[in-house]
Amino acid sequence: MAWWRLLLLAAFMSEAAAGTINFDKETVGAMPSGWVAGSTGSGRPKWTVEVDPTAPSRPNVLMQSGSGKFPWAVKEGVRIENGSVEVKFKPIAGREDRAGGVVWRWKDGDNYYVARANALENNVSLYYTTAGSRKTIKYVDAPVARNVWHALRVEFSGTSIRVLLNGKPCIELDDRNISGPGAVGVWTKADSVTAFDDFSWDETGK
């Protein structure tokens, strides 16, 4: 194999294995490059890069300001089975929900795991979605202040899942509903207006 093909392959594998995205080099008002977005169920989600002077890594964030049953945005070119995914999020507004979440083992818009924190309900929850139907695994109470940046992290290996909010473990359990590699990304619910920054992932067990 030619040397330049080996370099390209190594770069792709490195991106897939681990990465961090802060959206600061992306075009404001547009979807970030290398991402795809949609909604599980009906709706008109709107994912755009926006300027936010409060961003953990200024100036830009990824913001969802439309609405949908379960809006999602995932990073292309990443498929991991075991590892971690983390994001900083700020719940800004929403009458029905003010939620921010992460997805992993994402096969498509109808099949994935999601962990989310909700500023209206002050809780953290873990779900799995199959065939477009979201199923609750566990809820726990946790303070989630509005208009404040929080860190949501999920560590997953085999059937083991660990969800942390602002560095504090909230949920630790085993679940077998979704296996195999999948994409990682971010998630909201209903009319949530939510900003995201410093999205990262790391694959383990290769």
Side-chain angles (χ1 to χ4, degrees), residues 57-89:
S57 56
R58 291 174 289 183
N60 294 350
V61 300
L62 174 62
M63 184 174 296
Q64 202 297 119
S65 58
S67 63
K69 189 174 182 181
F70 302 120
W72 49 262
V74 300
K75 180 71 178 73
E76 293 181 301
V78 177
R79 287 181 58 81
I80 61 178
E81 181 174 7
N82 302 310
S84 63
V85 59
E86 183 171 356
V87 75
K88 293 173 184 172
F89 74 98

PDB file of all heavy atoms in Angstrom, residues 57-89:
ATOM      1  N   SER A  57     -15.448  26.858  25.614  1.00  0.00           N
ATOM      2  CA  SER A  57     -14.336  27.176  24.715  1.00  0.00           C
ATOM      3  C   SER A  57     -14.891  28.122  23.656  1.00  0.00           C
ATOM      4  O   SER A  57     -15.523  27.697  22.692  1.00  0.00           O
ATOM      5  CB  SER A  57     -13.745  25.904  24.092  1.00  0.00           C
ATOM      6  OG  SER A  57     -14.732  25.162  23.410  1.00  0.00           O
ATOM      7  N   ARG A  58     -14.703  29.387  23.871  1.00  0.00           N
ATOM      8  CA  ARG A  58     -15.290  30.415  22.998  1.00  0.00           C
ATOM      9  C   ARG A  58     -14.611  30.456  21.634  1.00  0.00           C
ATOM     10  O   ARG A  58     -13.454  30.072  21.518  1.00  0.00           O
ATOM     11  CB  ARG A  58     -15.183  31.782  23.682  1.00  0.00           C
ATOM     12  CG  ARG A  58     -16.088  31.905  24.903  1.00  0.00           C
ATOM     13  CD  ARG A  58     -15.880  33.195  25.649  1.00  0.00           C
ATOM     14  NE  ARG A  58     -14.595  33.196  26.345  1.00  0.00           N
ATOM     15  CZ  ARG A  58     -14.170  34.175  27.133  1.00  0.00           C
ATOM     16  NH1 ARG A  58     -14.915  35.238  27.307  1.00  0.00           N
ATOM     17  NH2 ARG A  58     -12.999  34.091  27.723  1.00  0.00           N
ATOM     18  N   PRO A  59     -15.366  30.907  20.589  1.00  0.00           N
ATOM     19  CA  PRO A  59     -16.641  31.612  20.712  1.00  0.00           C
ATOM     20  C   PRO A  59     -17.889  30.796  20.358  1.00  0.00           C
ATOM     21  O   PRO A  59     -18.985  31.209  20.667  1.00  0.00           O
ATOM     22  CB  PRO A  59     -16.479  32.744  19.710  1.00  0.00           C
ATOM     23  CG  PRO A  59     -15.671  32.114  18.592  1.00  0.00           C
ATOM     24  CD  PRO A  59     -14.716  31.172  19.283  1.00  0.00           C
ATOM     25  N   ASN A  60     -17.726  29.650  19.695  1.00  0.00           N
ATOM     26  CA  ASN A  60     -18.890  29.000  19.086  1.00  0.00           C
ATOM     27  C   ASN A  60     -19.432  27.821  19.880  1.00  0.00           C
ATOM     28  O   ASN A  60     -18.703  27.161  20.623  1.00  0.00           O
ATOM     29  CB  ASN A  60     -18.546  28.507  17.671  1.00  0.00           C
ATOM     30  CG  ASN A  60     -18.261  29.643  16.711  1.00  0.00           C
ATOM     31  OD1 ASN A  60     -18.488  30.806  17.016  1.00  0.00           O
ATOM     32  ND2 ASN A  60     -17.754  29.301  15.543  1.00  0.00           N
ATOM     33  N   VAL A  61     -20.713  27.546  19.637  1.00  0.00           N
ATOM     34  CA  VAL A  61     -21.383  26.374  20.190  1.00  0.00           C
ATOM     35  C   VAL A  61     -22.246  25.764  19.091  1.00  0.00           C
ATOM     36  O   VAL A  61     -22.503  26.387  18.060  1.00  0.00           O
ATOM     37  CB  VAL A  61     -22.288  26.744  21.385  1.00  0.00           C
ATOM     38  CG1 VAL A  61     -21.480  27.370  22.506  1.00  0.00           C
ATOM     39  CG2 VAL A  61     -23.437  27.669  20.959  1.00  0.00           C
ATOM     40  N   LEU A  62     -22.693  24.545  19.322  1.00  0.00           N
ATOM     41  CA  LEU A  62     -23.715  23.923  18.475  1.00  0.00           C
ATOM     42  C   LEU A  62     -25.035  24.068  19.212  1.00  0.00           C
ATOM     43  O   LEU A  62     -25.145  23.652  20.369  1.00  0.00           O
ATOM     44  CB  LEU A  62     -23.407  22.450  18.235  1.00  0.00           C
ATOM     45  CG  LEU A  62     -24.481  21.653  17.473  1.00  0.00           C
ATOM     46  CD1 LEU A  62     -24.691  22.218  16.075  1.00  0.00           C
ATOM     47  CD2 LEU A  62     -24.110  20.172  17.400  1.00  0.00           C
ATOM     48  N   MET A  63     -26.039  24.650  18.541  1.00  0.00           N
ATOM     49  CA  MET A  63     -27.305  24.919  19.208  1.00  0.00           C
ATOM     50  C   MET A  63     -28.465  24.264  18.467  1.00  0.00           C
ATOM     51  O   MET A  63     -28.517  24.261  17.241  1.00  0.00           O
ATOM     52  CB  MET A  63     -27.559  26.417  19.316  1.00  0.00           C
ATOM     53  CG  MET A  63     -28.817  26.770  20.100  1.00  0.00           C
ATOM     54  SD  MET A  63     -29.015  28.551  20.361  1.00  0.00           S
ATOM     55  CE  MET A  63     -27.595  28.913  21.386  1.00  0.00           C
ATOM     56  N   GLN A  64     -29.392  23.711  19.249  1.00  0.00           N
ATOM     57  CA  GLN A  64     -30.656  23.207  18.713  1.00  0.00           C
ATOM     58  C   GLN A  64     -31.747  24.196  19.118  1.00  0.00           C
ATOM     59  O   GLN A  64     -32.020  24.382  20.296  1.00  0.00           O
ATOM     60  CB  GLN A  64     -30.976  21.826  19.272  1.00  0.00           C
ATOM     61  CG  GLN A  64     -31.939  21.004  18.422  1.00  0.00           C
ATOM     62  CD  GLN A  64     -33.325  21.615  18.270  1.00  0.00           C
ATOM     63  OE1 GLN A  64     -33.754  21.922  17.161  1.00  0.00           O
ATOM     64  NE2 GLN A  64     -34.027  21.795  19.365  1.00  0.00           N
ATOM     65  N   SER A  65     -32.357  24.841  18.116  1.00  0.00           N
ATOM     66  CA  SER A  65     -33.356  25.868  18.402  1.00  0.00           C
ATOM     67  C   SER A  65     -34.683  25.614  17.695  1.00  0.00           C
ATOM     68  O   SER A  65     -35.574  26.461  17.741  1.00  0.00           O
ATOM     69  CB  SER A  65     -32.818  27.253  18.007  1.00  0.00           C
ATOM     70  OG  SER A  65     -32.464  27.276  16.624  1.00  0.00           O
ATOM     71  N   GLY A  66     -34.806  24.455  17.042  1.00  0.00           N
ATOM     72  CA  GLY A  66     -36.083  24.090  16.439  1.00  0.00           C
ATOM     73  C   GLY A  66     -36.881  23.238  17.401  1.00  0.00           C
ATOM     74  O   GLY A  66     -36.793  23.396  18.622  1.00  0.00           O
ATOM     75  N   SER A  67     -37.658  22.322  16.849  1.00  0.00           N
ATOM     76  CA  SER A  67     -38.426  21.427  17.712  1.00  0.00           C
ATOM     77  C   SER A  67     -38.623  20.097  16.997  1.00  0.00           C
ATOM     78  O   SER A  67     -38.564  20.008  15.775  1.00  0.00           O
ATOM     79  CB  SER A  67     -39.787  22.032  18.076  1.00  0.00           C
ATOM     80  OG  SER A  67     -40.591  22.213  16.927  1.00  0.00           O
ATOM     81  N   GLY A  68     -38.867  19.076  17.770  1.00  0.00           N
ATOM     82  CA  GLY A  68     -39.085  17.742  17.233  1.00  0.00           C
ATOM     83  C   GLY A  68     -39.352  16.801  18.381  1.00  0.00           C
ATOM     84  O   GLY A  68     -39.172  17.159  19.547  1.00  0.00           O
ATOM     85  N   LYS A  69     -39.770  15.603  18.059  1.00  0.00           N
ATOM     86  CA  LYS A  69     -40.012  14.651  19.139  1.00  0.00           C
ATOM     87  C   LYS A  69     -38.718  14.390  19.897  1.00  0.00           C
ATOM     88  O   LYS A  69     -38.635  14.615  21.109  1.00  0.00           O
ATOM     89  CB  LYS A  69     -40.581  13.349  18.584  1.00  0.00           C
ATOM     90  CG  LYS A  69     -41.071  12.396  19.668  1.00  0.00           C
ATOM     91  CD  LYS A  69     -41.770  11.176  19.076  1.00  0.00           C
ATOM     92  CE  LYS A  69     -42.281  10.270  20.195  1.00  0.00           C
ATOM     93  NZ  LYS A  69     -42.960   9.057  19.646  1.00  0.00           N
ATOM     94  N   PHE A  70     -37.686  13.946  19.173  1.00  0.00           N
ATOM     95  CA  PHE A  70     -36.374  13.737  19.777  1.00  0.00           C
ATOM     96  C   PHE A  70     -35.294  14.157  18.774  1.00  0.00           C
ATOM     97  O   PHE A  70     -34.758  13.316  18.040  1.00  0.00           O
ATOM     98  CB  PHE A  70     -36.170  12.270  20.178  1.00  0.00           C
ATOM     99  CG  PHE A  70     -37.195  11.734  21.137  1.00  0.00           C
ATOM    100  CD1 PHE A  70     -37.981  10.651  20.782  1.00  0.00           C
ATOM    101  CD2 PHE A  70     -37.376  12.306  22.389  1.00  0.00           C
ATOM    102  CE1 PHE A  70     -38.934  10.144  21.656  1.00  0.00           C
ATOM    103  CE2 PHE A  70     -38.328  11.813  23.268  1.00  0.00           C
ATOM    104  CZ  PHE A  70     -39.103  10.725  22.908  1.00  0.00           C
ATOM    105  N   PRO A  71     -34.936  15.440  18.708  1.00  0.00           N
ATOM    106  CA  PRO A  71     -33.894  15.872  17.779  1.00  0.00           C
ATOM    107  C   PRO A  71     -32.521  15.297  18.149  1.00  0.00           C
ATOM    108  O   PRO A  71     -32.193  15.172  19.335  1.00  0.00           O
ATOM    109  CB  PRO A  71     -33.898  17.397  17.929  1.00  0.00           C
ATOM    110  CG  PRO A  71     -35.264  17.730  18.460  1.00  0.00           C
ATOM    111  CD  PRO A  71     -35.602  16.582  19.367  1.00  0.00           C
ATOM    112  N   TRP A  72     -31.735  14.950  17.133  1.00  0.00           N
ATOM    113  CA  TRP A  72     -30.392  14.418  17.353  1.00  0.00           C
ATOM    114  C   TRP A  72     -29.432  14.953  16.293  1.00  0.00           C
ATOM    115  O   TRP A  72     -29.846  15.338  15.196  1.00  0.00           O
ATOM    116  CB  TRP A  72     -30.381  12.883  17.325  1.00  0.00           C
ATOM    117  CG  TRP A  72     -31.094  12.273  16.146  1.00  0.00           C
ATOM    118  CD1 TRP A  72     -32.367  11.780  16.106  1.00  0.00           C
ATOM    119  CD2 TRP A  72     -30.587  12.147  14.812  1.00  0.00           C
ATOM    120  NE1 TRP A  72     -32.677  11.334  14.843  1.00  0.00           N
ATOM    121  CE2 TRP A  72     -31.612  11.540  14.027  1.00  0.00           C
ATOM    122  CE3 TRP A  72     -29.372  12.460  14.203  1.00  0.00           C
ATOM    123  CZ2 TRP A  72     -31.450  11.274  12.660  1.00  0.00           C
ATOM    124  CZ3 TRP A  72     -29.207  12.194  12.838  1.00  0.00           C
ATOM    125  CH2 TRP A  72     -30.247  11.597  12.094  1.00  0.00           C
ATOM    126  N   ALA A  73     -28.145  14.966  16.651  1.00  0.00           N
ATOM    127  CA  ALA A  73     -27.076  15.289  15.702  1.00  0.00           C
ATOM    128  C   ALA A  73     -25.900  14.379  16.029  1.00  0.00           C
ATOM    129  O   ALA A  73     -25.495  14.288  17.191  1.00  0.00           O
ATOM    130  CB  ALA A  73     -26.668  16.755  15.816  1.00  0.00           C
ATOM    131  N   VAL A  74     -25.363  13.691  15.031  1.00  0.00           N
ATOM    132  CA  VAL A  74     -24.281  12.736  15.268  1.00  0.00           C
ATOM    133  C   VAL A  74     -23.089  13.033  14.364  1.00  0.00           C
ATOM    134  O   VAL A  74     -23.223  13.587  13.271  1.00  0.00           O
ATOM    135  CB  VAL A  74     -24.742  11.270  15.055  1.00  0.00           C
ATOM    136  CG1 VAL A  74     -25.871  10.925  16.016  1.00  0.00           C
ATOM    137  CG2 VAL A  74     -25.181  11.031  13.629  1.00  0.00           C
ATOM    138  N   LYS A  75     -21.918  12.632  14.875  1.00  0.00           N
ATOM    139  CA  LYS A  75     -20.659  12.848  14.156  1.00  0.00           C
ATOM    140  C   LYS A  75     -20.453  11.747  13.137  1.00  0.00           C
ATOM    141  O   LYS A  75     -20.502  10.557  13.465  1.00  0.00           O
ATOM    142  CB  LYS A  75     -19.493  12.857  15.154  1.00  0.00           C
ATOM    143  CG  LYS A  75     -18.131  13.082  14.528  1.00  0.00           C
ATOM    144  CD  LYS A  75     -17.979  14.491  14.037  1.00  0.00           C
ATOM    145  CE  LYS A  75     -16.584  14.731  13.455  1.00  0.00           C
ATOM    146  NZ  LYS A  75     -16.390  14.073  12.146  1.00  0.00           N
ATOM    147  N   GLU A  76     -20.221  12.135  11.893  1.00  0.00           N
ATOM    148  CA  GLU A  76     -19.936  11.156  10.847  1.00  0.00           C
ATOM    149  C   GLU A  76     -18.516  10.595  11.016  1.00  0.00           C
ATOM    150  O   GLU A  76     -17.639  11.248  11.568  1.00  0.00           O
ATOM    151  CB  GLU A  76     -20.055  11.810   9.465  1.00  0.00           C
ATOM    152  CG  GLU A  76     -21.462  12.235   9.106  1.00  0.00           C
ATOM    153  CD  GLU A  76     -21.515  12.847   7.719  1.00  0.00           C
ATOM    154  OE1 GLU A  76     -20.816  13.853   7.492  1.00  0.00           O
ATOM    155  OE2 GLU A  76     -22.245  12.315   6.869  1.00  0.00           O
ATOM    156  N   GLY A  77     -18.326   9.354  10.553  1.00  0.00           N
ATOM    157  CA  GLY A  77     -17.000   8.762  10.546  1.00  0.00           C
ATOM    158  C   GLY A  77     -16.556   8.193  11.876  1.00  0.00           C
ATOM    159  O   GLY A  77     -15.388   7.844  12.031  1.00  0.00           O
ATOM    160  N   VAL A  78     -17.465   8.121  12.854  1.00  0.00           N
ATOM    161  CA  VAL A  78     -17.129   7.564  14.161  1.00  0.00           C
ATOM    162  C   VAL A  78     -18.073   6.412  14.458  1.00  0.00           C
ATOM    163  O   VAL A  78     -19.297   6.583  14.436  1.00  0.00           O
ATOM    164  CB  VAL A  78     -17.247   8.624  15.278  1.00  0.00           C
ATOM    165  CG1 VAL A  78     -16.957   8.003  16.635  1.00  0.00           C
ATOM    166  CG2 VAL A  78     -16.309   9.791  15.007  1.00  0.00           C
ATOM    167  N   ARG A  79     -17.511   5.250  14.726  1.00  0.00           N
ATOM    168  CA  ARG A  79     -18.301   4.080  15.122  1.00  0.00           C
ATOM    169  C   ARG A  79     -17.537   3.341  16.211  1.00  0.00           C
ATOM    170  O   ARG A  79     -16.495   2.751  15.932  1.00  0.00           O
ATOM    171  CB  ARG A  79     -18.577   3.155  13.935  1.00  0.00           C
ATOM    172  CG  ARG A  79     -19.605   3.710  12.947  1.00  0.00           C
ATOM    173  CD  ARG A  79     -19.867   2.738  11.808  1.00  0.00           C
ATOM    174  NE  ARG A  79     -20.344   1.451  12.295  1.00  0.00           N
ATOM    175  CZ  ARG A  79     -21.615   1.206  12.638  1.00  0.00           C
ATOM    176  NH1 ARG A  79     -22.507   2.161  12.571  1.00  0.00           N
ATOM    177  NH2 ARG A  79     -21.971  -0.005  13.054  1.00  0.00           N
ATOM    178  N   ILE A  80     -18.048   3.428  17.435  1.00  0.00           N
ATOM    179  CA  ILE A  80     -17.375   2.764  18.539  1.00  0.00           C
ATOM    180  C   ILE A  80     -18.390   1.921  19.310  1.00  0.00           C
ATOM    181  O   ILE A  80     -19.576   2.233  19.359  1.00  0.00           O
ATOM    182  CB  ILE A  80     -16.674   3.758  19.479  1.00  0.00           C
ATOM    183  CG1 ILE A  80     -17.666   4.725  20.125  1.00  0.00           C
ATOM    184  CG2 ILE A  80     -15.609   4.530  18.728  1.00  0.00           C
ATOM    185  CD1 ILE A  80     -17.006   5.678  21.105  1.00  0.00           C
ATOM    186  N   GLU A  81     -17.888   0.855  19.910  1.00  0.00           N
ATOM    187  CA  GLU A  81     -18.735  -0.032  20.711  1.00  0.00           C
ATOM    188  C   GLU A  81     -18.516   0.180  22.193  1.00  0.00           C
ATOM    189  O   GLU A  81     -19.470   0.188  22.978  1.00  0.00           O
ATOM    190  CB  GLU A  81     -18.465  -1.495  20.357  1.00  0.00           C
ATOM    191  CG  GLU A  81     -19.325  -2.481  21.136  1.00  0.00           C
ATOM    192  CD  GLU A  81     -19.155  -3.912  20.665  1.00  0.00           C
ATOM    193  OE1 GLU A  81     -18.275  -4.161  19.819  1.00  0.00           O
ATOM    194  OE2 GLU A  81     -19.919  -4.786  21.136  1.00  0.00           O
ATOM    195  N   ASN A  82     -17.257   0.357  22.589  1.00  0.00           N
ATOM    196  CA  ASN A  82     -16.905   0.545  23.995  1.00  0.00           C
ATOM    197  C   ASN A  82     -16.064   1.796  24.133  1.00  0.00           C
ATOM    198  O   ASN A  82     -15.139   2.024  23.343  1.00  0.00           O
ATOM    199  CB  ASN A  82     -16.127  -0.660  24.519  1.00  0.00           C
ATOM    200  CG  ASN A  82     -16.901  -1.951  24.385  1.00  0.00           C
ATOM    201  OD1 ASN A  82     -18.057  -2.037  24.791  1.00  0.00           O
ATOM    202  ND2 ASN A  82     -16.275  -2.960  23.796  1.00  0.00           N
ATOM    203  N   GLY A  83     -16.364   2.602  25.149  1.00  0.00           N
ATOM    204  CA  GLY A  83     -15.601   3.822  25.344  1.00  0.00           C
ATOM    205  C   GLY A  83     -16.371   4.834  26.151  1.00  0.00           C
ATOM    206  O   GLY A  83     -17.077   4.498  27.106  1.00  0.00           O
ATOM    207  N   SER A  84     -16.255   6.099  25.754  1.00  0.00           N
ATOM    208  CA  SER A  84     -16.949   7.168  26.455  1.00  0.00           C
ATOM    209  C   SER A  84     -17.349   8.260  25.469  1.00  0.00           C
ATOM    210  O   SER A  84     -16.756   8.403  24.396  1.00  0.00           O
ATOM    211  CB  SER A  84     -16.063   7.769  27.554  1.00  0.00           C
ATOM    212  OG  SER A  84     -14.914   8.372  26.990  1.00  0.00           O
ATOM    213  N   VAL A  85     -18.367   9.020  25.864  1.00  0.00           N
ATOM    214  CA  VAL A  85     -18.793  10.195  25.115  1.00  0.00           C
ATOM    215  C   VAL A  85     -19.152  11.263  26.136  1.00  0.00           C
ATOM    216  O   VAL A  85     -19.723  10.961  27.190  1.00  0.00           O
ATOM    217  CB  VAL A  85     -19.975   9.872  24.178  1.00  0.00           C
ATOM    218  CG1 VAL A  85     -21.177   9.348  24.949  1.00  0.00           C
ATOM    219  CG2 VAL A  85     -20.380  11.094  23.367  1.00  0.00           C
ATOM    220  N   GLU A  86     -18.757  12.496  25.849  1.00  0.00           N
ATOM    221  CA  GLU A  86     -18.967  13.580  26.818  1.00  0.00           C
ATOM    222  C   GLU A  86     -19.266  14.871  26.077  1.00  0.00           C
ATOM    223  O   GLU A  86     -18.771  15.106  24.968  1.00  0.00           O
ATOM    224  CB  GLU A  86     -17.730  13.752  27.696  1.00  0.00           C
ATOM    225  CG  GLU A  86     -17.873  14.791  28.779  1.00  0.00           C
ATOM    226  CD  GLU A  86     -16.720  14.779  29.769  1.00  0.00           C
ATOM    227  OE1 GLU A  86     -15.839  13.902  29.650  1.00  0.00           O
ATOM    228  OE2 GLU A  86     -16.707  15.646  30.671  1.00  0.00           O
ATOM    229  N   VAL A  87     -20.077  15.740  26.704  1.00  0.00           N
ATOM    230  CA  VAL A  87     -20.366  17.043  26.135  1.00  0.00           C
ATOM    231  C   VAL A  87     -20.671  18.016  27.258  1.00  0.00           C
ATOM    232  O   VAL A  87     -21.139  17.631  28.334  1.00  0.00           O
ATOM    233  CB  VAL A  87     -21.561  16.967  25.143  1.00  0.00           C
ATOM    234  CG1 VAL A  87     -22.905  16.842  25.878  1.00  0.00           C
ATOM    235  CG2 VAL A  87     -21.572  18.166  24.208  1.00  0.00           C
ATOM    236  N   LYS A  88     -20.388  19.274  26.998  1.00  0.00           N
ATOM    237  CA  LYS A  88     -20.858  20.352  27.869  1.00  0.00           C
ATOM    238  C   LYS A  88     -22.108  20.943  27.226  1.00  0.00           C
ATOM    239  O   LYS A  88     -22.118  21.173  26.015  1.00  0.00           O
ATOM    240  CB  LYS A  88     -19.762  21.392  28.049  1.00  0.00           C
ATOM    241  CG  LYS A  88     -18.573  20.843  28.821  1.00  0.00           C
ATOM    242  CD  LYS A  88     -17.421  21.819  28.865  1.00  0.00           C
ATOM    243  CE  LYS A  88     -16.209  21.177  29.568  1.00  0.00           C
ATOM    244  NZ  LYS A  88     -15.007  22.028  29.477  1.00  0.00           N
ATOM    245  N   PHE A  89     -23.129  21.153  28.035  1.00  0.00           N
ATOM    246  CA  PHE A  89     -24.393  21.645  27.475  1.00  0.00           C
ATOM    247  C   PHE A  89     -25.002  22.699  28.398  1.00  0.00           C
ATOM    248  O   PHE A  89     -24.765  22.699  29.611  1.00  0.00           O
ATOM    249  CB  PHE A  89     -25.381  20.493  27.262  1.00  0.00           C
ATOM    250  CG  PHE A  89     -25.987  19.973  28.534  1.00  0.00           C
ATOM    251  CD1 PHE A  89     -27.252  20.392  28.945  1.00  0.00           C
ATOM    252  CD2 PHE A  89     -25.303  19.076  29.337  1.00  0.00           C
ATOM    253  CE1 PHE A  89     -27.800  19.921  30.127  1.00  0.00           C
ATOM    254  CE2 PHE A  89     -25.850  18.600  30.512  1.00  0.00           C
ATOM    255  CZ  PHE A  89     -27.114  19.023  30.914  1.00  0.00           C
TER     256      PHE A  89
END
